[in-house]
Amino acid sequence: MAQMHNNLSPAEGIWSLRRLPHMDEAQFSQWQTLLEHRTGITLSAERRSFLETNLGIRMREIGCNSYQAYYEKIVSGPDAIREWSTLVDRLTVQETRFFRDPDAFRLVADYVLTRPREQLRKRPLEGWSVGCSSGEEPYTLAMVLNECMSQLELQPLFGITGSDISKPAIDKARDGLFNPRKLMGMDEELKTRYFRPAERNTVEIVKSIRERVCFTRLNVLDLDQAPMHGMNIIFCQNLLIYFRRWRRREIVRRLAERLAPGGLLVLGQGELTDWQPPGLQRLPSEHVLAWIKRQTDEE
Ligand SMILES: C[S@@+](CC[C@H](N)C(=O)[O-])C[C@H]1O[C@@H](n2cnc3c(N)ncnc32)[C@H](O)[C@@H]1O
């Protein structure tokens, strides 16, 4: 019986069998504003049913029966912070996979392979995957860097940080266990080198890669609080597409500040148009949107 699930009272259980309450225009606008204010994500009118469904599921789980009551819980309830953290995970698109954008990773490899060898030998390369979801992107970056170092016959001197607003996504990334579906399209040799079969039909990233990658929870709207500086590679794909144009620019400007001179910034195709970020030099690639940070005396 539905009443038996999720610790709902019988009355709440009956409610859970009913249809979702209708969300009126003012309520939709209130949720849109809250989500954008706190995460940067804009929800178009076409995504109202997505919002209704996901709020509805969560409201049923906790036995809350109106959008307004749930809104109050999120903005001023005693457990507001924790509840928001659960909700934000439900309202963000977390789709990802290993080597999702092969051209972009090829560009990263070219970038590393053409750096002065002496620099690579002496200073660890620092990479950052912003909006890393469950970790496939930062682990891919680690594999690419590892391949480059091995090709150059250098010690694997590099570290990658993955950051995301979603705590469950970060927890999953830290576990390093993946459904083999996430490896679809990957080179067989790389699969064998970097994954091992693990529990319940999952695959596990090998330790040598895992220990080069760390994860942290970070809202990209709070970049001021991020301790990352002097990054050699910043990879930020499929996050800014949910943001308004002015905000994308603002975030790119801030990410650029976190790059080391000569560092590489990679976004998703089409995520930033008609604007040249100051201090960055666009790389001439047809398929990848990427820039190099100018050395200060070039500015
Ligand atoms: C579609 S995934 C992209 C994953 C990966 N970058 C890729 O391209 O495969 C978007 C990720 O951005 C995260 N996200 C959304 N808003 C965010 C914010 N304000 N700060 C940090 N991460 C955010 C989501 O939690 C989600 O994991």
Side-chain angles (χ1 to χ4, degrees), residues 173-274:
R174 285 196 182 116
D175 286 345
L177 293 172
F178 296 94
N179 185 316
R181 254 189 310 121
K182 298 291 179 133
L183 280 60
M184 224 156 56
M186 247 187 94
D187 180 90
E188 290 301 322
E189 219 176 284
L190 294 182
K191 280 189 198 170
T192 320
R193 198 170 306 152
Y194 293 118
F195 294 91
R196 300 282 170 265
E199 61 195 42
R200 283 178 274 125
N201 293 326
T202 59
V203 289
E204 179 179 27
I205 303 264
V206 294
K207 189 161 164 269
S208 59
I209 289 296
R210 242 174 108 156
E211 58 194 17
R212 305 239 151 242
V213 186
C214 69
F215 293 95
T216 184
R217 190 161 169 217
L218 176 73
N219 185 339
V220 81
L221 302 192
D222 299 331
L223 282 177
D224 291 355
Q225 293 162 25
M228 294 79 160
H229 289 281
M231 293 283 130
N232 301 106
I233 301 163
I234 299 182
F235 209 90
C236 180
Q237 290 199 323
N238 303 302
L239 163 61
L240 299 182
I241 37 169
Y242 302 105
F243 293 3
R244 288 186 198 279
R245 217 136 76 113
W246 67 265
R247 209 190 285 277
R248 297 182 194 195
R249 293 180 179 186
E250 187 54 36
I251 289 170
V252 168
R253 216 188 279 274
R254 282 167 187 269
L255 289 177
E257 288 167 8
R258 302 309 175 107
L259 277 176
L264 172 70
L265 172 67
V266 182
L267 302 187
Q269 265 294 45
E271 288 185 317
L272 195 70
T273 48
D274 308 329

Side-chain angles (χ1 to χ4, degrees), residues 93-101 105 129 131-140 164 169 172-173 178-179 181-184 235 237-238 242:
V93 177
Q94 290 170 4
E95 189 197 327
T96 185
R97 61 179 181 276
F98 290 95
F99 289 88
R100 180 175 187 176
D101 181 351
F105 290 109
S129 157
C132 69
S133 186
S134 39
E136 288 83 341
E137 184 177 278
Y139 284 127
T140 302
D164 200 279
K172 197 161 177 288
F178 296 94
N179 185 316
R181 254 189 310 121
K182 298 291 179 133
L183 280 60
M184 224 156 56
F235 209 90
Q237 290 199 323
N238 303 302
Y242 302 105

Side-chain angles (χ1 to χ4, degrees), residues 13-274:
I14 289 163
W15 182 81
S16 78
L17 296 175
R18 288 200 220 121
R19 286 162 53 105
L20 292 171
H22 170 73
M23 181 180 278
D24 65 31
E25 208 53 58
Q27 285 170 329
F28 181 57
S29 159
Q30 190 180 36
W31 281 100
Q32 267 179 320
T33 306
L34 182 75
L35 190 68
E36 183 171 357
H37 178 68
R38 290 192 177 182
T39 70
I41 297 171
T42 54
L43 271 189
S44 61
E46 298 79 63
R47 303 207 73 211
R48 184 195 294 222
S49 66
F50 162 86
L51 181 68
E52 281 176 340
T53 307
N54 285 287
L55 288 182
I57 292 171
R58 182 59 191 156
M59 283 155 57
R60 279 176 188 171
E61 285 171 3
I62 60 168
C64 178
N65 59 11
S66 85
Y67 293 123
Q68 198 52 41
Y70 187 51
Y71 185 87
E72 300 304 330
K73 230 183 223 306
I74 287 281
V75 296
S76 56
D79 205 17
I81 294 175
R82 199 177 333 179
E83 188 51 37
W84 171 249
S85 160
T86 303
L87 182 66
V88 86
D89 178 62
R90 310 283 178 94
L91 297 183
T92 47
V93 177
Q94 290 170 4
E95 189 197 327
T96 185
R97 61 179 181 276
F98 290 95
F99 289 88
R100 180 175 187 176
D101 181 351
D103 291 329
F105 290 109
R106 224 166 280 133
L107 183 137
V108 170
D110 288 345
Y111 170 76
V112 175
L113 291 171
T114 53
R115 283 175 76 83
R117 235 181 129 79
E118 249 337 272
Q119 249 181 41
L120 293 174
R121 196 197 308 275
K122 281 194 193 139
R123 256 209 259 128
L125 274 180
E126 298 279 354
W128 181 12
S129 157
V130 184
C132 69
S133 186
S134 39
E136 288 83 341
E137 184 177 278
Y139 284 127
T140 302
L141 276 175
M143 291 177 213
V144 170
L145 265 50
N146 199 59
E147 289 294 304
C148 292
M149 295 307 196
S150 133
Q151 198 174 320
L152 295 167
E153 298 178 344
L154 292 172
Q155 290 300 314
L157 205 54
F158 65 87
I160 308 286
T161 303
S163 66
D164 200 279
I165 198 173
S166 159
K167 182 169 183 305
I170 288 295
D171 290 345
K172 197 161 177 288
R174 285 196 182 116
D175 286 345
L177 293 172
F178 296 94
N179 185 316
R181 254 189 310 121
K182 298 291 179 133
L183 280 60
M184 224 156 56
M186 247 187 94
D187 180 90
E188 290 301 322
E189 219 176 284
L190 294 182
K191 280 189 198 170
T192 320
R193 198 170 306 152
Y194 293 118
F195 294 91
R196 300 282 170 265
E199 61 195 42
R200 283 178 274 125
N201 293 326
T202 59
V203 289
E204 179 179 27
I205 303 264
V206 294
K207 189 161 164 269
S208 59
I209 289 296
R210 242 174 108 156
E211 58 194 17
R212 305 239 151 242
V213 186
C214 69
F215 293 95
T216 184
R217 190 161 169 217
L218 176 73
N219 185 339
V220 81
L221 302 192
D222 299 331
L223 282 177
D224 291 355
Q225 293 162 25
M228 294 79 160
H229 289 281
M231 293 283 130
N232 301 106
I233 301 163
I234 299 182
F235 209 90
C236 180
Q237 290 199 323
N238 303 302
L239 163 61
L240 299 182
I241 37 169
Y242 302 105
F243 293 3
R244 288 186 198 279
R245 217 136 76 113
W246 67 265
R247 209 190 285 277
R248 297 182 194 195
R249 293 180 179 186
E250 187 54 36
I251 289 170
V252 168
R253 216 188 279 274
R254 282 167 187 269
L255 289 177
E257 288 167 8
R258 302 309 175 107
L259 277 176
L264 172 70
L265 172 67
V266 182
L267 302 187
Q269 265 294 45
E271 288 185 317
L272 195 70
T273 48
D274 308 329

